Amino acid sequence: MNNTSIYFPAEWHKQQAILLTWPKVDSDWNYLFEEVEKCFIAIASEIAKRQNLWIVCTSKQLIEKYFEDEFLKKISFFEIDSNDTWARDHGGISVFENQCLIVYDFGFNGWGLKFSSDKDNLITKELHKLKAFTGATLKNKTDFILEGGSVESDGNGSLMTTENCLLSKNRNEKFSKKEIESFLKKHFGSKQVLWLKHGNLAGDDTDSHIDTLARFIPENKIAFVQCFDPLDEHFNELKAMEQELQNFKNADGESYELIPLPMTTAIFDKEDGHRLPATYANFLIMNEAVLLPIYKVENDRIAIETMQQAMPDYEIVPIDCSVLIRQHGSLHCVTMQYPEW
């Protein structure tokens, strides 16, 4: 008999540290490098004000100059090469196994072979070699492709994800939906997997990561993106997604309280005019604060007020992520939290 107990903590579980992978000049950020580095400095500063921060970078010396000594006390630098900055997806995913921390190193293949990922795929293993996870156990699961942005836990036995992502080509297409669900339940200790069939943002490279659409937050709530404009290209898909969320129940059979976040005012790429996948759902929950992406548009104010009402015990910290969205990601995408152990 297998007596192993596995627990997939919610994001608001007490955290040990948050990971950032710093942007590089010789990457897709080249034409935006000064702007994106300012955004990373803002995110890093807000994290280091409150809790420990790990920074993956190619040169500690180039980055530590941006931070005051009081912040540097909270920052650990790990000199590891990378392809890109999306720590949510190349970072390790944490569970507790018999109350001991396990960091899963799943395979990362650039969101289904869309982008280079050979260096990013090694980062978690390198962090382990550099003693980031001392006292925890690293488990190699690189034969299964899974990005952190594609799964959400409510900390009570429910895992939420999307069919568009987990059943997409070039990830785990050799497995059926039933086999993938069994894998998730086994490795995350989940009692149920809540699958969204609908929901997608124009310009999204991730095939509908759950963290762009719907997020678990404390007190049995789900914050989700809502679209009111029938003329918006997202209207039908997000309406169908909302109906799915209304039917979701937690592992105790209770409905979730749904917290609608506004669709951002449409934002278009300055280079070729395509719509960008801006979303307020891509927030990061920390120990005592929520870092909320904003985009210098009209609906920012509504998003801030909504989150303050939905999470009254947390400080809501807006951060301008209008540069991150130029490369089709946002605030949650560039961070990965590790629970206290």
Side-chain angles (χ1 to χ4, degrees):
M1 181 181 289
N2 184 357
N3 293 319
T4 301
S5 171
I6 299 177
Y7 172 66
F8 185 19
E11 190 159 299
W12 55 91
H13 186 99
K14 183 75 171 176
Q15 295 170 3
Q16 177 98 335
I18 290 172
L19 173 70
L20 288 176
T21 300
W22 209 259
K24 303 191 305 180
V25 174
D26 58 334
S27 71
D28 291 343
W29 290 113
N30 179 269
Y31 72 113
L32 292 167
F33 188 73
E34 188 174 331
E35 289 178 67
V36 77
E37 197 165 51
K38 285 179 181 176
C39 181
F40 266 74
I41 293 167
I43 294 170
S45 298
E46 293 294 346
I47 294 170
K49 275 182 191 177
R50 298 168 174 85
Q51 59 194 81
N52 295 328
L53 171 64
W54 298 344
I55 295 180
V56 165
C57 59
T58 51
S59 171
K60 171 183 175 180
Q61 189 176 2
L62 288 177
I63 299 170
E64 63 182 352
K65 63 186 178 184
Y66 295 128
F67 301 102
E68 300 172 11
D69 288 344
E70 62 178 301
F71 289 170
L72 288 173
K73 293 175 184 176
K74 294 284 189 73
I75 301 176
S76 299
F77 294 90
F78 299 91
E79 294 186 332
I80 305 169
D81 202 2
S82 61
N83 299 102
D84 214 329
T85 55
W86 310 109
R88 177 63 46 180
D89 298 334
H90 61 240
I93 303 178
S94 305
V95 301
F96 288 96
E97 185 177 295
N98 295 332
Q99 301 184 333
C100 298
L101 186 72
I102 303 296
V103 178
Y104 286 139
D105 184 14
F106 288 108
F108 175 64
N109 70 352
W111 308 280
L113 304 178
K114 296 183 183 75
F115 302 96
S116 298
S117 59
D118 55 317
K119 297 172 184 175
D120 290 345
N121 198 38
L122 299 175
I123 288 175
T124 300
K125 187 196 302 182
E126 292 301 313
L127 281 170
H128 183 249
K129 286 181 183 177
L130 294 172
K131 310 299 183 185
F133 307 124
T134 299
T137 300
L138 184 72
K139 287 199 174 183
N140 184 333
K141 299 291 178 184
T142 52
D143 56 340
F144 193 89
I145 304 301
L146 190 71
E147 301 117 25
S150 69
V151 288
E152 276 278 308
S153 172
D154 69 354
N156 189 41
S158 297
L159 184 152
M160 183 166 59
T161 189
T162 70
E163 291 189 2
N164 282 346
C165 181
L166 264 60
L167 307 185
S168 65
K169 290 183 179 180
N170 297 326
R171 281 185 173 87
N172 301 295
E173 57 190 306
K174 62 183 176 181
F175 300 120
S176 68
K177 179 182 176 181
K178 185 177 180 180
E179 288 171 327
I180 290 174
E181 180 164 324
S182 295
F183 179 94
L184 295 174
K185 287 181 175 179
K186 176 183 176 181
H187 289 86
F188 290 98
S190 302
K191 299 173 186 174
Q192 62 173 350
V193 177
L194 301 173
W195 294 89
L196 282 176
K197 295 181 173 65
H198 296 279
N200 181 60
L201 301 181
D204 175 28
D205 293 324
T206 69
D207 305 302
S208 304
H209 269 186
I210 193 69
D211 72 349
T212 67
L213 299 167
R215 304 286 309 285
F216 288 125
I217 60 175
E219 307 297 334
N220 200 48
K221 300 173 184 175
I222 297 176
F224 72 101
V225 180
Q226 186 179 62
C227 182
F228 278 122
D229 182 3
L231 299 179
D232 191 300
E233 62 189 295
H234 299 97
F235 180 78
N236 290 331
E237 269 295 293
L238 291 182
K239 189 67 176 175
M241 182 188 80
E242 183 175 352
Q243 291 170 346
E244 289 182 280
L245 292 170
Q246 289 170 350
N247 292 325
F248 281 175
K249 296 187 186 301
N250 67 19
D252 298 319
E254 302 163 338
S255 297
Y256 293 97
E257 179 182 350
L258 300 186
I259 307 296
L261 293 168
M263 189 76 202
T264 65
T265 310
I267 303 173
F268 298 93
D269 186 76
K270 295 176 182 177
E271 307 295 320
D272 64 11
H274 74 273
R275 189 163 179 178
L276 297 170
T279 169
Y280 298 115
N282 207 245
F283 53 80
L284 171 70
I285 302 175
M286 296 171 49
N287 286 338
E288 297 176 351
V290 175
L291 303 190
L292 177 69
I294 57 172
Y295 305 97
K296 297 189 291 189
V297 296
E298 184 179 354
N299 283 342
D300 288 351
R301 178 184 56 80
I302 299 172
I304 294 167
E305 291 174 354
T306 300
M307 289 300 295
Q308 285 175 335
Q309 292 171 6
M311 300 182 68
D313 295 334
Y314 290 78
E315 179 186 6
I316 308 301
V317 183
I319 295 183
D320 178 10
C321 293
S322 51
V323 64
L324 293 184
I325 209 65
R326 297 281 298 278
Q327 281 293 315
H328 300 185
S330 196
L331 201 152
H332 196 249
C333 301
V334 299
T335 59
M336 173 53 85
Q337 77 286 343
Y338 290 91
E340 195 172 79
W341 72 91

